[in-house]
Amino acid sequence: MAVRVTDAEVKEIIDWDSTISLTPFIEIANSLVTELCTDSGHDAQRLKNIERWLAAHFYHIDDQHISREKAASVGVEYQFKIDLAINQTKYGQQAIVLDTAGNLAQLNKRIVDGEAATVVIGWLGQDYTTADTTD
């Protein structure tokens, strides 16, 4: 899979924990941008920027950013929005804004509305209860 964005480009916009690889976040962002945005008229630079911000979004879902620390009473607060899907981080919100064709906004709405995934179970094998067994 040829990703559009590099680790270094994502690191420019996030506070990064060097023990966490950015590769899985970049790969999933690339997959989503390729699936949803490539046929939307965006140029290569726009697709790269959407992928960059979306990779940062997926990273921050896993590694939440600290918004405030205390020493006297020992406490930590994390920068996190109680929301669903891509709106959950400022990075995801920015990716939605960059996708002016509305693909990510539509996906976000379907997820929030509970319509994003449909599971179908089917059987492709042979039904032995009605199969001809006279060989």
Side-chain angles (χ1 to χ4, degrees):
M1 170 186 341
V3 296
R4 294 174 186 86
V5 71
T6 66
D7 285 15
E9 291 168 325
V10 176
K11 289 175 191 174
E12 288 175 352
I13 62 171
I14 62 173
D15 292 327
W16 176 64
D17 178 348
S18 62
T19 64
I20 300 174
S21 170
L22 293 178
T23 300
F25 308 107
I26 292 171
E27 287 176 351
I28 194 64
N30 173 267
S31 175
L32 201 54
V33 170
T34 299
E35 177 185 339
L36 297 176
C37 301
T38 53
D39 294 332
S40 299
H42 296 310
D43 64 20
Q45 185 62 45
R46 176 63 62 95
L47 292 172
K48 183 175 184 173
N49 284 327
I50 295 168
E51 186 171 306
R52 179 184 193 195
W53 287 87
L54 204 52
H57 163 74
F58 288 122
Y59 170 79
H60 271 283
I61 294 294
D62 184 57
D63 184 36
Q64 297 175 19
H65 183 71
I66 295 173
S67 65
R68 191 170 90 174
E69 295 177 294
K70 292 164 103 178
S73 300
V74 184
V76 173
E77 291 180 19
Y78 290 96
Q79 186 180 64
F80 196 73
K81 181 180 177 191
I82 303 300
D83 207 334
L84 296 172
I86 305 170
N87 273 332
Q88 197 168 1
T89 69
K90 64 183 180 182
Y91 304 100
Q93 294 165 13
Q94 186 62 37
I96 289 173
V97 170
L98 290 169
D99 177 20
T100 55
N103 302 295
L104 295 176
Q106 288 173 3
L107 173 64
N108 193 72
K109 182 177 180 348
R110 288 194 331 258
I111 292 169
V112 170
D113 292 346
E115 301 170 3
T118 303
V119 177
V120 177
I121 299 173
W123 172 254
L124 298 176
Q126 184 175 8
D127 183 357
Y128 287 103
T129 60
T130 59
D132 182 13
T133 56
T134 58
D135 284 3

